[in-house]
Amino acid sequence: MTFHNGSFVSIYLSIPGVMNPNLSPKSNSGVSLDAGQVVYFFPKGKNGKKEILFTVTPTWKKDTILQIDKIVKTRKKALGY
């Protein structure tokens, strides 16, 4: 799948057992994740507490493009950030 960051700021993620990517502004990153894999993000920056961004579901295909910046925005709002 592809992680897309359409924003003008870096997004810091943590994917246990896989990597800790930094999605640069206006970039794409290809990743291979199994169903059930949890992806975390850092709502207050890379040195803050991590929160669950999402869990990969079996319905996502390998060519899925995830708008990570939009998912982060929605998740931050839900968490009260």
Side-chain angles (χ1 to χ4, degrees), residues 21-76:
N22 170 20
L23 294 179
S24 297
K26 300 292 184 181
S27 69
N28 293 312
S29 180
V31 294
S32 295
L33 302 175
D34 294 327
Q37 177 69 58
V38 178
V39 176
Y40 297 91
F41 77 116
F42 298 84
K44 292 188 175 183
K46 67 180 177 180
N47 295 321
K49 177 184 171 190
K50 70 181 178 182
E51 298 280 358
I52 294 174
L53 183 58
F54 61 83
T55 302
V56 177
T57 68
T59 59
W60 293 353
K61 307 291 183 214
K62 66 179 180 178
D63 58 348
T64 299
I65 298 174
L66 299 173
Q67 305 292 331
I68 298 297
D69 55 314
K70 293 179 182 177
I71 296 170
V72 165
K73 184 177 180 179
T74 301
R75 188 73 177 118
K76 278 179 151 181

